Amino acid sequence: MKRTTLRTSAIALGAAVALPATAQEWNVGWGGYMRQYVLFGSTEHKQSGASLPAFMDIKVEYGSLPSGDSPPSLTDVTAGTALDLSANDLAEKIYVDAANYLNLDTAPNLGSGSTANKAEDITIVVVETADADAEDGDGNGRARVEAVNKSVDRNGGAQRRDTEIHFKPSVTLENGITFGAYVELEGDGAGVDESHMTISSDSLGRFVLGADDSMGKNLMVAAPEVTAFWTDDGIHGSFIPVYTGSGSPAAIASKTEVGGNNDVMRISYMTPSLGGLTLGVSYAADNKNNGNNSGYLTKDKANGNLSDILDLGLRFSQSLGEATVTLGARYGTAKQTLVGKADKKPREAGVGVNVGFGAFTLGGSYTDSQRYDKDGNDQSSNGFSLGLEYDMDGPWVFGINTHQGEWDNGDEHSIAKIGATRTLGTGVSWDLYAVTAKSERSTSTNVILPGTGGTDEARTRAISYMEKASGTLFGTAINLNF
């Protein structure tokens, strides 16, 4: 059946190109959406249980001192004494990279140094002290530390907007072939998101040429979900400081891309529906999208880049008595170049199903991501989603959702939501929702120690610690779809 459909589509496309055809009037279509969210809630962010290597050094410097004060000497600190640096008026600092200090009084986030995560308490426990002029002779005291603990609690309100404008002109020739363009503008300053051309007909199927999601992602099925504050894409990470990885991995999303290659230049084809079955395939030469160009002829295969990105997807929809079933599956793979190392083979695989019966729709999905960072370090994860939707056959639709994910190294992420959407009019809806999310991961940061002779030679130590985050949100939103 697949071979016959592909042959028929090829003949139809060939006829469209070879035979002259008169165009009808262009349909200059456009659309888009605007969403305005208002949220209230509380969050907690902890970094604790730091496992520090032996003889971890801390360099302490002193800035402007209050009148009449003098800097205390680390040699005066008894081993085992806890120093509450958040309450200290002195500018005590620790290196976080080769160029910058982390000021523990204003930005004590060992992970990123963000002032948005200033701690209420941060303690460095001194285990052993040394003379102020020890080893490097620069006059700065030095000490070994045992543990670092940080806790940040936040509560209050927030607002978010999300806007896109879609231009989608099209024209249908007399032979039935439709040519169209699609340009997606981000309304919040990010410029053009997706831009591609489509060629389609009932017998031909659909070709997509340009920057777009892969057919694997487009044909994948996720759990049913109400409200535009999705549990299945990491939007909550903008408000709750949970770990969401990068590039929408399987741990936080059901619909993923190989190596996170979202909206790159690719060629895609989707068959017409064959008794409810639709098949799709996509190919991208690489994951670099520099303006209008992509591919081997214009790009170097730099360290960490993807090439030969192939995606396959299918969707099957059918009515079985009073029930409806929609099944989706996808598989994608690519090659990842690593300079000086063996290449990697990242991949994405997933399956999802929705079953509708009367007013209820129940569904779920499972997705697995095999991913690596630009240096080849494993960042693989997996996750599943579950959702139940109840449509009152009126203005209200209610739903409950969860997405549970785990990275192969043991890091975890979970989110749950209960929500409702009310239709106010054509293209206008109102959302209400409550969301809870949490994550737990082991992570580390490098500390650059002062070198000998008063210089800053790179003597690096790694601080590893456990980072836990959680939070609860209550929100509402107005959605305009036009």
Side-chain angles (χ1 to χ4, degrees):
M1 182 181 295
K2 178 179 178 182
R3 182 179 303 171
T4 301
T5 301
L6 292 176
R7 183 166 58 246
T8 302
S9 300
I11 294 173
L13 180 61
V17 174
L19 298 177
T22 303
Q24 306 299 314
E25 292 292 329
W26 275 83
N27 175 24
V28 185
W30 69 284
Y33 62 81
M34 173 175 282
R35 300 165 183 156
Q36 292 284 349
Y37 305 84
V38 178
L39 309 96
F40 301 90
S42 62
T43 68
E44 184 179 68
H45 191 191
K46 292 183 178 181
Q47 294 176 351
S48 60
S51 174
L52 304 181
F55 301 103
M56 166 60 68
D57 294 323
I58 286 186
K59 177 180 180 180
V60 178
E61 294 190 341
Y62 298 96
S64 300
L65 298 173
S67 177
D69 287 352
S70 60
S73 170
L74 278 180
T75 57
D76 296 334
V77 178
T78 304
T81 301
L83 302 179
D84 184 359
L85 299 183
S86 65
N88 198 324
D89 292 332
L90 304 178
E92 296 174 308
K93 302 176 181 180
I94 184 173
Y95 275 108
V96 289
D97 58 41
N100 301 296
Y101 286 111
L102 173 65
N103 188 327
L104 296 177
D105 288 323
T106 59
N109 182 334
L110 291 180
S112 66
S114 170
T115 56
N117 291 323
K118 180 178 178 180
E120 273 66 32
D121 59 0
I122 179 168
T123 302
I124 293 183
V125 180
V126 177
V127 180
E128 179 180 328
T129 62
D131 291 337
D133 207 31
E135 184 177 346
D136 55 12
D138 63 1
N140 292 300
R142 301 164 64 78
R144 284 194 294 129
V145 300
E146 184 178 64
V148 177
N149 298 280
K150 187 184 84 168
S151 177
V152 184
D153 297 318
R154 294 284 183 267
N155 58 75
Q159 189 172 345
R160 176 188 174 91
R161 71 176 186 269
D162 187 8
T163 307
E164 288 188 0
I165 304 296
H166 304 159
F167 293 94
K168 40 191 177 181
S170 64
V171 63
T172 300
L173 308 185
E174 289 185 346
N175 56 14
I177 305 295
T178 297
F179 290 80
Y182 181 89
V183 179
E184 186 175 291
L185 301 179
E186 293 288 346
D188 301 315
V192 175
D193 187 6
E194 298 179 2
S195 177
H196 54 261
M197 178 187 295
T198 62
I199 307 172
S200 62
S201 75
D202 293 340
S203 59
L204 172 66
R206 180 182 178 89
F207 286 89
V208 182
L209 310 173
D212 190 21
D213 295 333
S214 71
M215 286 297 170
K217 180 178 179 179
N218 284 334
L219 293 175
M220 176 66 180
V221 171
E225 185 164 10
V226 302
T227 83
F229 196 93
W230 314 114
T231 63
D232 210 4
D233 70 351
I235 185 176
H236 55 285
S238 299
F239 306 96
I240 304 174
V242 291
Y243 176 60
T244 57
S246 61
S248 297
I252 68 159
S254 299
K255 298 183 177 182
T256 60
E257 295 283 21
V258 178
N261 73 97
N262 296 314
D263 299 335
V264 303
M265 297 284 285
R266 68 177 98 240
I267 300 173
S268 300
Y269 172 69
M270 182 172 64
T271 69
S273 177
L274 310 171
L277 175 64
T278 302
L279 304 174
V281 59
S282 297
Y283 174 81
D286 58 32
N287 66 325
K288 304 300 291 181
N289 186 2
N290 183 14
N292 300 325
N293 305 314
S294 183
Y296 298 148
L297 296 178
T298 59
K299 300 291 183 299
D300 295 326
K301 293 189 214 178
N303 192 54
N305 284 355
L306 305 180
S307 60
D308 294 327
I309 307 168
L310 179 66
D311 288 275
L312 304 173
L314 68 84
R315 182 174 294 188
F316 177 76
S317 298
Q318 194 63 264
S319 296
L320 303 174
E322 296 184 5
T324 59
V325 177
T326 301
L327 171 70
R330 61 82 47 86
Y331 181 81
T333 186
K335 182 175 77 172
Q336 184 172 0
T337 300
L338 296 175
V339 177
K341 302 178 184 179
D343 291 340
K344 298 291 187 178
K345 291 285 289 184
R347 61 167 175 78
E348 302 285 326
V351 61
V353 62
N354 284 345
V355 178
F357 189 85
F360 292 92
T361 302
L362 174 66
S365 64
Y366 175 81
T367 306
D368 183 81
S369 297
Q370 186 72 46
R371 293 191 184 182
Y372 308 90
D373 66 14
K374 65 181 182 62
D375 297 316
N377 300 311
D378 198 328
Q379 295 184 334
S380 302
S381 67
N382 63 82
F384 69 87
S385 67
L386 293 172
L388 176 64
E389 180 181 300
Y390 174 63
D391 190 339
M392 296 182 62
D393 195 24
W396 285 100
V397 182
F398 299 89
I400 184 169
N401 292 84
T402 185
H403 191 282
Q404 307 288 323
E406 182 178 16
W407 280 262
D408 287 5
N409 65 359
D411 295 345
E412 298 178 349
H413 173 274
S414 65
I415 181 173
K417 181 189 73 175
I418 182 170
T421 295
R422 177 183 174 86
T423 300
L424 302 179
T426 302
V428 182
S429 62
W430 172 40
D431 291 346
L432 293 170
Y433 49 86
V435 177
T436 180
K438 64 180 181 179
S439 69
E440 182 174 320
R441 68 164 177 158
S442 58
T443 187
S444 64
T445 188
N446 289 331
V447 176
I448 309 298
L449 307 178
T452 59
T455 63
D456 292 334
E457 297 174 356
R459 296 193 297 128
T460 304
R461 300 291 188 272
I463 295 180
S464 60
Y465 54 90
M466 184 63 67
E467 184 178 58
K468 299 180 180 180
S470 61
T472 300
L473 299 174
F474 300 91
T476 185
I478 296 293
N479 309 300
L480 308 179
N481 296 278
F482 44 87

